[in-house]
Amino acid sequence: MAAVKIRARSGWPISVAALTWLGCRLAWAGGPPGAQVVIVDDEIRVRRDDQQTAVATGQVLPLADGRVTLTALRGETVAFQVIIFDQSPLPGAAAIAVAPFADPSGPRVELWRQHFVTVQERSRNERRPDESLGWSAGARAPDDAMLGEVPDALIPLTIDDRPRPSSTWEAFWVDLFVPEAATPGPHATTASVTVGGALSARFTLAVDVKAAVLPYRAVSAFAFYEPARLEQRIGDGPAAERQLWQLLHAHHLDALAPLTAVADVDRLADVFSGALFSAEQGYAGPGMHQPPAVAALGAYGQLGDPTPATIATVRTMVERLARLAPSSSDATHAAAPELFLYAVDEDCASPRAADWKKALGGLALALPVAVGQTCAQPPAQQAADVALIPGPSFTRDLVGAARAAGRRAWIYNGALPRTGTLLLDAPPRGLLVNGWIAALTDIDRWFYWESTFWNDDNPGGHGAVDPFVNPATFHNRDGDTALGDGLLVYPGRQRAPFAGDSFGFAGVFPSLRLKLIRRGIEDAGYLILAAREHPVEATRIAAQAVPALMDEAAADQPASWDAATDEGRPRFARARAALGALIARGDPLTADQRARIVERLARQRRAEVPVALTRRQRWSRTAAGAAALAVGLIAFALVVGRARRGRARA
């Protein structure tokens, strides 16, 4: 049959056989009867009920001589999914193998098996079931698109060798990291998929490496974790903690540790020096040797009030952090993390931020320390230097207003339709979009409130859960149930009472949602690089990809990026390909260049895209318009009446 060329992720050309679902079934030859192998873009989450969507938007591989071709920048991780399915149970375990690339500087391959969890009910509020912590009622995705068997946890194939029950599905995730030192040009290797030991597909995996270098952490995001949770659930705390840091770092995120004592800094010394992210420490990913971009002294107000003892602790921690910072740095990243003292959490009336600011004001510290707090009030009304504003309250003008008041505005979490959301029963594409939003609104940093929330132990919580089985990981005393909230990684080993569902690994596994956050940050890098050379065209592409964000979005409507595909192809894959076509320069982007470009993107966005009106504002303006029209008609009638009376008297 004839083949057509499409453009997908990062501009990769992919040959897709022009077959319908029925045609695929009839044309299949070789391998286990009925088994199909489909390549799917990393932008799409494929539930077990979505097989027809997978075939329609993906690439069906033949038994032999298939080819998957991707395009990547140096420093980028490109990814795709391999899905094997049939209407009857697969006749044995499915496996995928990818040979190493011949060029030692070429892409490095990592493989995961997708783990499915059953979603039987939605995130909600008891009093307002159509609303949740992750969306307004108008932006709630329909049940038939969110319920069922949903993939999220990704188990490394080097660990997951356990037999699974007979299934009609198997799904793998493939990451290809391209080192910055990779040789530009084509790189190729071979890959195969087997089911029950029999060959189902053999194909060439080709990566066209471009000369341009993707900036590491093009936009900044960080996620909190608690060492005590790692120790309680996994054990071997130091090893698990170090592996978590490396995993998040590989996804362009910073972990946020609760630094409350000098011992915490000492324990993480190789994190803050950047040494943990080196080949000597077993790390082989993006951001080699780079320390975190941000670090918090205390977290969620754990340091308490400023006292002589806590002030002395802060001073000593800052001195240690200053000594750990790399002695030199190039212009692409900072040598030391930006420090902020996390004074208080979601208590705008608390005087603690002001007290800490006063206490630190007279100290000569080895590194600058800002005072931050989570609070929805406008930054100019807050005492904190850094206002961490919840996503549903964040507007496009907050960054500029904060800077004008001598403060900073960062965002935390998010909710549809203004931003993406962490919740499992929402389209995960929103987490990808958050990277675009950060670049288009000049947000300095995006804070995800937790990454290891397996215990549901906040006030109103239901207690510890096995996240591989129970997706309802968060409850509170306000009547909220949230699926997957605060959970970006899964425990590689579980102690009792969940020891029966443990993989025996002293670390954490990534989630599909974490992969989407990385994808969005990398997309932001594409947008910034393209805007450096072609600002007008890059802005146009971004406007098409994300028609409405933050206060541009109407609260009673679905997210503007909700469509899964654009002209039959994944929406952001198409946009990313268009941006990639604009990038020609190979010189790295400096931090100053990045800041200027993002500021220009945000300014242009504010000038071109209007703020959306809420339903109340629309009603108010309609009422005001009607009142003005009525007044005008009355005035006109009075004028006409006077004229007529004047003519009659004449």
Side-chain angles (χ1 to χ4, degrees):
M1 293 189 177
V4 295
K5 286 281 189 179
I6 68 169
R7 286 274 173 183
R9 162 76 190 261
S10 301
W12 4 310
I14 299 180
S15 260
V16 179
L19 301 171
T20 63
W21 168 258
L22 179 60
C24 288
R25 304 290 297 174
L26 296 176
W28 185 255
Q36 278 193 311
V37 181
V38 183
I39 303 298
V40 179
D41 187 82
D42 66 340
E43 177 183 330
I44 297 174
R45 182 177 64 190
V46 183
R47 301 171 303 154
R48 291 200 191 275
D49 293 336
D50 295 335
Q51 54 208 42
Q52 295 193 28
T53 300
V55 172
T57 61
Q59 173 186 358
V60 179
L61 290 178
L63 177 63
D65 301 324
R67 186 177 182 87
V68 175
T69 304
L70 305 91
T71 297
L73 305 182
R74 292 185 293 156
E76 180 181 6
T77 302
V78 290
F80 61 93
Q81 301 172 72
V82 180
I83 300 176
I84 306 101
F85 61 85
D86 190 11
Q87 292 181 340
S88 58
L90 296 173
I96 181 173
V98 180
F101 285 82
D103 186 343
S105 76
R108 299 167 185 168
V109 182
E110 287 189 277
L111 304 173
W112 287 272
R113 188 185 306 277
Q114 298 185 24
H115 175 85
F116 290 79
V117 64
T118 302
V119 177
Q120 296 178 319
E121 58 182 6
R122 300 295 303 279
S123 299
R124 61 199 177 276
N125 181 272
E126 288 180 359
R127 296 179 298 278
R128 301 176 300 279
D130 286 342
E131 298 180 11
S132 80
L133 294 175
W135 56 74
S136 66
R140 183 181 186 270
D143 287 350
D144 61 4
M146 294 295 117
L147 298 177
E149 297 293 310
V150 178
D152 194 50
L154 300 175
I155 317 300
L157 290 190
T158 54
I159 294 172
D160 183 19
D161 57 357
R162 303 180 307 171
R164 276 162 308 284
S166 179
S167 172
T168 59
W169 265 74
E170 193 67 88
F172 300 99
W173 186 281
V174 182
D175 267 359
L176 298 169
F177 168 63
V178 180
E180 289 188 15
T183 304
H187 297 257
T189 189
T190 57
S192 62
V193 177
T194 58
V195 177
L199 183 67
S200 291
R202 180 185 295 114
F203 59 98
T204 296
L205 178 56
V207 180
D208 183 16
V209 176
K210 300 301 183 183
V213 177
L214 185 78
Y216 179 67
R217 271 189 314 235
V219 291
S220 175
F222 58 101
F224 179 67
Y225 75 97
E226 293 179 79
R229 288 193 198 279
L230 298 175
E231 179 61 34
Q232 180 183 8
R233 181 63 64 99
I234 299 172
D236 199 2
E241 185 176 26
R242 292 165 67 85
Q243 187 268 342
L244 179 145
W245 272 95
Q246 289 184 334
L247 180 69
L248 292 185
H249 193 84
H251 290 77
H252 295 250
L253 272 77
D254 288 325
L256 192 76
L259 304 179
T260 58
V262 177
D264 295 327
V265 177
D266 291 342
R267 186 184 75 250
L268 298 171
D270 56 358
V271 168
F272 296 112
S273 70
L276 183 62
F277 314 112
S278 65
E280 293 76 16
Q281 297 283 359
Y283 183 78
M288 295 288 286
H289 305 286
Q290 293 198 28
V294 61
L297 305 178
Y300 293 98
Q302 291 175 330
L303 285 173
D305 295 325
T307 64
T310 55
I311 293 171
T313 297
V314 167
R315 182 195 291 274
T316 307
M317 285 195 293
V318 174
E319 290 174 352
R320 297 285 178 89
L321 287 165
R323 289 201 296 268
L324 290 169
S327 58
S328 63
S329 173
D330 60 39
T332 62
H333 65 279
E338 179 179 10
L339 301 181
F340 74 103
L341 190 147
Y342 196 154
V344 66
D345 180 57
E346 294 188 343
D347 184 359
C348 298
S350 171
R352 190 177 289 170
D355 292 344
W356 268 110
K357 193 170 179 179
K358 181 179 179 181
L360 297 180
L363 298 181
L365 296 174
L367 291 172
V369 177
V371 174
Q373 66 178 4
T374 48
C375 171
Q377 290 180 354
Q381 298 178 18
Q382 299 189 36
D385 302 302
V386 177
L388 290 91
I389 308 291
S393 302
F394 212 99
T395 58
R396 295 179 304 170
D397 61 352
L398 275 181
V399 172
R403 290 173 183 169
R407 292 173 173 81
R408 309 273 294 284
W410 299 352
I411 189 171
Y412 79 98
N413 297 342
L416 299 169
R418 299 164 72 93
T419 70
T421 174
L422 276 175
L423 301 195
L424 180 66
D425 56 325
R429 182 180 295 104
L431 293 173
L432 182 160
V433 177
N434 285 352
W436 290 72
I437 293 173
L440 290 169
T441 56
D442 197 12
I443 294 174
D444 288 332
R445 309 199 189 281
W446 203 303
F447 175 37
Y448 293 102
W449 75 278
E450 243 282 24
S451 59
T452 59
F453 196 73
W454 310 313
N455 291 348
D456 197 13
D457 53 1
N458 57 300
H462 290 187
V465 301
D466 180 350
F468 294 102
V469 177
N470 182 2
T473 56
F474 177 96
H475 302 82
N476 63 21
R477 57 190 174 194
D478 294 328
D480 289 298
T481 296
L483 276 60
D485 197 13
L487 193 155
L488 283 173
V489 295
Y490 286 77
R493 181 167 64 204
Q494 299 201 87
R495 295 177 166 182
F498 308 115
D501 196 11
S502 174
F503 292 90
F505 173 66
V508 295
F509 300 147
S511 64
L512 191 147
R513 288 170 295 146
L514 178 61
K515 300 292 183 184
L516 269 291
I517 292 176
R518 178 191 66 191
R519 165 79 185 264
I521 294 172
E522 290 187 335
D523 278 7
Y526 266 73
L527 175 59
I528 294 166
L529 287 173
R532 175 171 66 166
E533 300 181 55
H534 301 278
V536 174
E537 186 67 6
T539 301
R540 182 190 64 79
I541 293 169
Q544 291 176 343
V546 189
L549 54 83
M550 291 186 175
D551 47 338
E552 302 166 3
D556 54 352
Q557 298 293 322
S560 66
W561 54 83
D562 211 28
T565 60
D566 186 359
E567 297 183 9
R569 286 143 45 191
R571 182 184 188 92
F572 288 91
R574 182 181 178 88
R576 187 172 187 150
L579 292 172
L582 301 177
I583 300 171
R585 291 173 57 175
D587 55 312
L589 191 75
T590 69
D592 287 343
Q593 287 174 328
R594 189 210 69 85
R596 289 195 298 271
I597 292 169
V598 169
E599 184 179 6
R600 185 175 67 226
L601 285 169
R603 185 170 59 248
Q604 190 72 15
R605 181 81 182 199
R606 289 193 300 271
E608 294 183 356
V609 183
V611 172
L613 300 178
T614 65
R615 185 176 298 175
R616 177 177 294 180
Q617 287 172 326
R618 289 197 297 270
W619 181 89
S620 176
R621 291 197 179 187
T622 300
L629 178 62
V631 170
L633 290 173
I634 292 171
F636 178 76
L638 290 174
V639 170
V640 171
R642 287 172 182 165
R644 286 177 176 173
R645 288 193 296 274
R647 286 195 296 272
R649 285 195 296 270

